[in-house]
Amino acid sequence: MKLKVSFRNVSKQYFLYKKQSDKIKGLFFPNKNNKGFFAVRSVSFDVYEGETIGFVGINGSGKSTMSNLLAKIIPPTSGDIDMDGQPSLIAIAAGLNNQLSGKDNIRLKCLMMGLTNKEIDDLYDKIVEFADIGDFIDQPVKSYSSGMKSRLGFAISAYIDPDILIIDEALSVGDQTFYQKCVDRITEFKEQGKTIFFVSHSIGQIQKICDRVAWMHYGELRMFDATDKVVEEYKEFVNWFNKLSKKEKQEYQMEQKEGRKGVHKAEKVTRYKESGQKRSFFGPAFQVTLVTALTILLALSMFSDRPLRTLATFGAITLNKTEVPQTTSSKPKDTSLKKVDQQGIVVEDPITVYKDQAMKKKVDVTLSFGQEVQAVGKNKKTVQIKTATGTYFVKPDALQISDELKPLSIGSGQFNSYVSPASAGSYEYLLSFLGKEESVLKQRMQSLSSVKSEQGDTIERLTTEKTDYVIQNGQANAIIFREIMSISPSTLGLTEQNVWMNEKQTKFAVKGENHLFVIDNELHTLTISVIK
């Protein structure tokens, strides 16, 4: 059997920076204490022609990183990847230009894959028929739902006829008829002897499609064997994990994540052997630093009346001018707050809350990422906010004033396919109570139970539909869908510039024209609140 894909000790490491300035500093002054984070570490396996390989694993295990490595979107930090053939990635909106129409995206993506205009013309009708999005084929992709983007992306990749097909959660959206069309097409590829990689959270899909399964667990390949064996082991782990308490889950996840940090000793040896000698002090970082220093020096010399002498003596020449000593102003700093009286959104996670304006006395108050609060006043150093539990102070970077946020053309309908099956059937009906009085909610809904949130709000819980209503001032101002599928900005056709993300990139918020959407991939919740 012909070897198609081979991974040998493949690792992908990222260095984490809190600010953009830290990333620039790292170019000139590498921080030896920053050990980086391994999205994938020491993965080795062989895949042969005609095999369909599934990838399973909980969120953050490295499945999407593996699909990007297979598709040659990102290079490995270390190790070798040998591929015999051209890969094609199918993911929601992968390779689609939001500004172009569906028709233009078909031509663009096909051209990028090496097809001629004549070949594209021959395939065009088949692609459009398979995507089945009607007149939207002439509309910009930015107006598409996630399901429509997935249909178009799958249709293009399915008819480009790739050697190696990589499907990353592309079948998680769309109706059952489209899913069946995709499965039929995948079956055709298998019969043609093509190699397929299939990433999915759906164990049923994995069992139906895949010959072997790779179980990724926090960046490492935990098991790679026949589908039945791996699925059985994976189900046992999931059942064990779900029985843990919330605290035990957090401790386990933290332990696993910490284990992905640090320098991999094997990688150091590999790089040393490849280079054959130790790095010279006059490496790229030193050269860039030297060029930058000279550029700054030349720029400063432009402000001197003797530029050459100034450059030669590094500014040691004294001019015949009397320097006037500067006096320090004794004028007290203005600490007054400008009245704001607007809604604000918490965009920092975790957020530090203070009792006093000088921000010296911390308060044990929980404010969640994406939570709306009332901004009362602000200056350059602090913002005064008002919540259900009291009045506090936070740093300006921790809060985004609602009026400063640009609304996007995104609606609640784009999240329907991500909510749990218990909520999906009555999704629109549940949303219809958003903004209604609590008395109306209790009158129309059965089996409601009241609980208190960490922020002091009343929560009306519908256990059967996996849904909560947040009651504020007697109204259902927000709805929380629990046990949702993981969502990333890219699956919604958004970029990181359009959303507000926490530092770990596990939560993000996006503002629509009428609602604020907050996705928490750690707690698996979707919160939709009415914009006031």
Side-chain angles (χ1 to χ4, degrees), residues 17 21-31 284-293 296:
Y17 300 96
S21 58
D22 293 339
K23 189 180 293 186
I24 298 172
K25 288 178 185 177
L27 178 64
F28 301 106
F29 309 105
N31 183 2
F286 176 81
Q287 295 170 9
V288 173
T289 305
L290 182 61
V291 171
T292 304
I296 294 171

Side-chain angles (χ1 to χ4, degrees), residues 67-87:
S67 67
N68 287 331
L69 286 167
L70 285 163
K72 299 182 180 179
I73 292 175
I74 58 174
T77 304
S78 65
D80 297 316
I81 301 176
D82 293 326
M83 302 185 75
D84 182 13
Q86 179 64 35

Side-chain angles (χ1 to χ4, degrees), residues 144-274:
Y144 288 13
S145 66
S146 57
M148 292 167 65
K149 290 177 181 177
S150 178
R151 295 164 82 99
L152 181 61
F154 194 102
I156 296 171
S157 295
Y159 280 95
I160 287 175
D161 199 25
D163 299 309
I164 300 168
L165 191 64
I166 305 144
I167 305 170
D168 189 355
E169 292 290 354
L171 304 188
S172 61
V173 296
D175 54 29
Q176 189 63 31
T177 56
F178 178 70
Y179 166 72
Q180 191 56 50
K181 285 170 66 175
C182 294
V183 172
D184 292 342
R185 188 63 176 166
I186 292 171
T187 304
E188 288 180 27
F189 282 143
K190 291 181 69 174
E191 291 173 353
Q192 295 169 14
K194 295 185 182 297
T195 305
I196 301 169
F197 292 90
F198 186 67
V199 181
S200 178
H201 282 287
S202 173
I203 297 300
Q205 292 178 2
I206 291 287
Q207 289 177 308
K208 185 175 181 180
I209 295 173
C210 301
D211 302 314
R212 290 194 291 163
V213 174
W215 175 8
M216 296 299 298
H217 190 69
Y218 290 98
E220 296 182 349
L221 184 61
R222 187 162 185 171
M223 191 174 181
F224 186 51
D225 209 328
T227 300
D228 292 340
K229 291 183 181 179
V230 178
V231 167
E232 183 180 355
E233 292 287 334
Y234 179 63
K235 282 183 176 179
E236 287 183 9
F237 166 77
V238 172
N239 291 333
W240 169 83
F241 184 78
N242 287 335
K243 289 177 183 177
L244 298 178
S245 65
K246 183 179 178 180
K247 184 178 180 181
E248 289 173 332
K249 287 179 181 178
Q250 290 176 344
E251 289 176 351
Y252 178 80
Q253 290 173 331
M254 187 61 67
E255 180 184 348
Q256 296 297 322
K257 289 176 181 177
E258 285 298 319
R260 297 169 75 175
K261 297 179 181 179
V263 177
H264 197 205
K265 293 181 179 179
E267 289 179 351
K268 280 191 168 182
V269 173
T270 301
R271 284 197 293 267
Y272 180 77
K273 285 183 177 179
E274 287 176 353

